[in-house]
Amino acid sequence: MATNRGIVYIKPGVVEVQDISYPKLALGDRKCHHGVILKVVATNICGSDQHMVRGRTTAPSGLILGHEITGTVIEKGRDVEFMDIGDLVSVPFNIACGRCRNCKEQQTGICENVNDARPGAAYGYVDMGGWIGGQSEYVMVPYADFNLLKIPNKDAAMEKIRDLTLLSDILPTGYHGAVTAGVKPGSTVYVAGAGPVGLACAASCHLLGAAVVIVGDMIPERLAQARSFGCETVDLRKDATLGQQIEQILGIPEVDCTVDCVGFEAKGHGANAEEQPATVLNDAMTVTRAGGGIGIPGLYVTGDPGAKTEAAKEGSLSVRFGLGWAKSHHFHTGQAPVMEYNRNLMQAIMHDKIKIADAVNVQVITLDEGPQGYADFDSGVAKKFVINPHGMVY
Ligand SMILES: NC(=O)c1ccc[n+]([C@@H]2O[C@H](COP(=O)([O-])OP(=O)(O)OC[C@H]3O[C@@H](n4cnc5c(N)ncnc54)[C@H](O)[C@@H]3O)[C@@H](O)[C@H]2O)c1
Ligand SMILES: [Zn+2]
Ligand SMILES: [Zn+2]
């Protein structure tokens, strides 16, 4: 009998490595002849996992975590045509059927056929269709021909696996945030949040030719990490407003584009500020020029059991929408459709156009070190933890 081990959410603040079932080509009664089983090469801890682990969602105890997966194909279902045993593949965190209207329109973050409750699904995530997570030794990927990105030249790829592992989520997500905010050559950009998504977004803005990329956070180590690859930074613990700090850098208090890489667990400004979930959305409208764009990859929820107000418990936030309307801002929300970008970003990695592992400071850990990785990430270290369940990543 084949065995498997994975990281399991137990209760707020507690995750454990446990023996879990070896994957089947099925989800409950639903057969997945279109699926493959992967031996997991690399699987990352994400800020999106933290919302669950902090008890800010309705994630059930026993949920197997992990939606950022790179692996090799070790078994394939009878309907898989174009993937072969031994292929090294990157798995978009969005699960998509490739057959529905949204998939046909490249909106793979809101596939209509992979989640009974709502459009859109992901591995190991609350309300995302019940697909089993991949912070484990082995995992099943459905609709493999459609979902998987085959990484050519395995030997060269393994040399860059610390970078390529970021194709499953944060690099395409950060890039999507930049693209949807309208970043182009010469843009000035404010990136809210210097976590892995914010840093990946900042590196993407450079790739897109932005003139100035300003990253804001309240954690000094994370701001230093942003400066390490050429970003300007603003420290939101300071008394000066965000606009004033931007003016010190640009000479004016506005930018062309803003990307929210924080989401609903945002803190207010100033020393020891409390959580204020609409802070970044209101900041974005304040500092983005009239006619500018706002990308919002940061996650917002329809239910937050840990929210401070009754309204916020239902996801209703105090957003000054009239300001954005008055400035003709355009907004873009939602899951990043990873598949739209991952092939091109893979090429950018392979040809040294972006050093994304260095930008986000990848730290490789074992599966057993996973729970400690969660604790360290939650403390705000400037690291992106990549779990290496089979010792294949160096
Ligand atoms: N849309 C998508 O497809 C997608 C994909 C991946 C992650 N996400 C979301 O992106 C967000 C960021 O992910 P991450 O892994 O970088 O998380 P993270 O928690 O490591 O980073 C968030 C950072 O925001 C900072 N922050 C808090 N309040 C702030 C404020 N008012 N202004 C500026 N910075 C502030 C925090 O100090 C922290 O460093 C999360 O909400 C995550 O769920 C979305
Ligand atoms: Zn993620
Ligand atoms: Zn679909």
Side-chain angles (χ1 to χ4, degrees):
M1 249 292 278
T3 59
N4 194 10
R5 296 168 77 234
I7 299 184
V8 182
Y9 169 69
I10 308 294
K11 62 179 181 184
V14 182
V15 299
E16 271 176 25
V17 179
Q18 291 185 354
D19 291 331
I20 61 172
S21 302
Y22 188 80
K24 294 189 184 66
L25 291 172
L27 176 65
D29 295 339
R30 181 174 180 175
K31 294 273 178 273
C32 295
H33 297 305
H34 42 65
V36 296
I37 292 173
L38 299 183
K39 179 176 180 181
V40 176
V41 172
T43 174
N44 322 323
I45 299 175
C46 181
S48 297
D49 299 321
Q50 299 277 53
H51 303 305
M52 293 189 284
V53 173
R54 291 188 191 120
R56 297 300 295 271
T57 69
T58 51
S61 182
L63 184 116
I64 297 160
L65 295 163
H67 58 269
E68 302 193 3
I69 306 162
T70 307
T72 51
V73 177
I74 56 168
E75 188 183 330
K76 62 184 214 172
R78 64 156 203 233
D79 294 344
V80 177
E81 286 189 81
F82 306 112
M83 295 290 155
D84 292 312
I85 306 297
D87 284 346
L88 178 66
V89 292
S90 176
V91 186
F93 78 87
N94 331 97
I95 300 172
C97 74
R99 296 145 154 92
C100 71
R101 174 189 175 169
N102 287 340
C103 284
K104 286 176 182 176
E105 294 177 0
Q106 284 202 313
Q107 300 258 38
T108 51
I110 41 172
C111 172
E112 292 172 349
N113 292 329
V114 283
N115 183 351
D116 292 339
R118 59 168 85 172
Y123 306 84
Y125 213 85
V126 60
D127 294 333
M128 283 287 132
W131 303 91
I132 294 167
Q135 282 167 11
S136 55
E137 293 170 337
Y138 302 95
V139 70
M140 193 276 285
V141 172
Y143 303 104
D145 283 323
F146 184 65
N147 282 308
L148 293 177
L149 173 68
K150 205 183 279 200
I151 305 177
N153 194 345
K154 221 162 137 180
D155 291 340
M158 286 307 289
E159 298 277 313
K160 290 209 152 74
I161 195 72
R162 293 162 70 260
D163 297 88
L164 295 169
T165 185
L166 305 172
L167 289 173
S168 55
D169 182 347
I170 63 162
L171 179 54
T173 295
Y175 189 84
H176 175 70
V179 167
T180 56
V183 176
K184 53 187 182 224
S187 298
T188 56
V189 192
Y190 174 57
V191 177
V197 172
L199 296 171
C201 179
S204 298
C205 291
H206 287 144
L207 190 64
L208 288 162
V212 184
V213 182
I214 304 170
V215 179
D217 204 300
M218 41 283 285
I219 301 178
E221 295 81 354
R222 290 187 163 192
L223 293 174
Q225 184 62 29
R227 287 192 294 274
S228 76
F229 62 97
C231 302
E232 301 283 344
T233 56
V234 294
D235 186 337
L236 298 165
R237 295 171 307 168
K238 288 188 181 161
D239 289 335
T241 65
L242 174 59
Q244 287 165 343
Q245 294 201 59
I246 288 176
E247 188 166 17
Q248 283 165 14
I249 297 165
L250 295 178
I252 52 169
E254 286 187 331
V255 291
D256 297 325
C257 315
T258 294
V259 190
D260 172 354
C261 299
V262 181
F264 75 105
E265 289 193 67
K267 292 201 185 98
H269 297 183
N272 309 315
E274 303 247 308
E275 198 173 290
Q276 281 180 18
T279 302
V280 178
L281 298 174
N282 287 325
D283 281 349
M285 293 185 283
T286 304
V287 303
T288 304
R289 72 176 182 91
I294 300 173
I296 311 176
L299 184 94
Y300 290 85
V301 289
T302 51
D304 172 7
K308 294 217 166 66
T309 65
E310 287 308 309
K313 285 195 168 99
E314 296 188 336
S316 292
L317 308 182
S318 199
V319 178
R320 197 175 175 218
F321 193 64
L323 178 60
W325 196 95
K327 292 170 90 174
S328 289
H329 287 149
H330 61 266
F331 299 81
H332 198 104
T333 62
Q335 281 190 22
V338 168
M339 209 182 286
E340 199 174 326
Y341 309 104
N342 60 0
R343 183 178 305 278
N344 291 73
L345 291 169
M346 172 181 76
Q347 293 293 74
I349 289 170
M350 293 312 292
H351 295 279
D352 293 325
K353 295 292 181 256
I354 187 165
K355 300 274 187 200
I356 191 62
D358 290 346
V360 303
N361 195 19
V362 160
Q363 173 97 17
V364 179
I365 60 175
T366 64
L367 189 61
D368 288 304
E369 287 165 340
Q372 187 60 46
Y374 268 91
D376 291 348
F377 189 36
D378 193 41
S379 76
V381 294
K383 290 176 181 167
K384 173 73 176 176
F385 290 100
V386 172
I387 297 168
N388 179 21
H390 292 281
M392 295 163 83
V393 181
Y394 296 101

